[in-house]
């Protein structure tokens, strides 16, 4: 499926606020609610829209530190990867697990209340995971949201 200009406009509006109704999107684009709804349904059925999410302000919940970890596994192999992935995804503070190509095998996004909390997570949870070898941490100082490819 190749989205046309109207599909891309709908996707832009939904990516800004996934709670917008088909009627609201239609008004914005000069379309009827049923026509807009049909397009949204088609985009969903075709797999272009994979879900709708809310954005939670984790700082407001008391999680003020974000750390990106590069993890190099000590032992390679399919079993090692699966064991590591299964264990790391069970840690609630780990928001994202990315299997990557390059210096590290994995990149993790970890949220913690503060640096002391991050140290506890690192020592007690992450460093004890199966196969963990080298770990590099980068603390997030600021983050800018850039518009996506739409």
């Amino acid at each position: 499926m190749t989205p046309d200009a109207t599909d891309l406009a709908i996707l832009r509006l939904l990516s800004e606020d996934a709670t917008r109704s088909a009627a609201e999107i239609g008004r914005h684009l000069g379309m009827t609610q049923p026509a807009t709804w049909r397009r949204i349904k088609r985009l969903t059925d075709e797999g272009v829209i994979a879900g709708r999410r809310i954005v939670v302000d984790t700082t407001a919940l008391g999680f003020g530190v974000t750390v990106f970890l590069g993890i190099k596994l000590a032992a390679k192999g399919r079993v090692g990867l699966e064991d590591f992935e299964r264990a790391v995804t069970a840690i609630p503070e780990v928001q994202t697990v990315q299997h990557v190509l390059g210096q590290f095998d994995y990149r993790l996004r970890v949220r913690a209340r503060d640096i002391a909390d991050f140290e506890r997570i690192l020592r007690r949870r992450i460093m004890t995971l199966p196969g963990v070898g080298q770990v590099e941490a980068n603390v997030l100082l600021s983050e800018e949201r850039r518009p996506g490819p739409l």
Side-chain angles (χ1 to χ4, degrees):
M1 178 213 173
T2 304
D4 64 16
T6 302
D7 292 333
L8 293 175
I10 290 170
L11 292 170
R12 271 188 221 97
L13 290 168
L14 284 173
S15 68
E16 292 169 4
D17 181 359
T19 65
R20 285 184 167 143
S21 67
E24 181 183 349
I25 293 169
R27 278 191 301 276
H28 190 348
L29 299 177
M31 298 172 57
T32 65
Q33 182 274 340
T36 305
W37 182 86
R38 281 192 300 274
R39 282 190 177 250
I40 292 170
K41 181 167 179 2
R42 182 176 48 82
L43 290 166
T44 302
D45 291 346
E46 295 283 335
V48 175
I49 296 175
R52 297 184 189 203
R53 294 170 179 79
I54 61 167
V55 178
V56 175
D57 184 345
T58 52
T59 304
L61 293 175
F63 292 90
V65 173
T66 300
V67 181
F68 295 96
L69 292 179
I71 307 277
K72 186 173 203 111
L73 299 181
K76 300 276 195 248
R78 185 147 187 82
V79 174
L81 295 176
E82 289 171 358
D83 290 344
F84 175 80
E85 289 171 5
R86 187 174 18 264
V88 76
T89 55
I91 300 171
E93 294 88 353
V94 176
Q95 289 187 317
T96 307
V97 177
Q98 300 169 328
H99 188 199
V100 296
L101 182 63
Q103 180 180 358
F104 295 100
D105 298 309
Y106 288 91
R107 297 290 296 175
L108 310 180
R109 181 183 179 116
V110 179
R111 292 295 297 202
R113 296 190 181 285
D114 52 33
I115 292 295
D117 186 39
F118 169 71
E119 183 180 10
R120 178 191 59 78
I121 295 163
L122 180 64
R123 287 180 181 227
R124 294 186 185 165
R125 294 189 174 176
I126 293 170
M127 295 304 291
T128 62
L129 292 173
V132 169
Q134 180 185 353
V135 177
E136 178 183 282
N138 298 114
V139 177
L140 178 69
L141 298 177
S142 66
E143 184 172 39
E144 301 300 323
R145 172 80 164 84
R146 302 267 189 257
L150 301 177

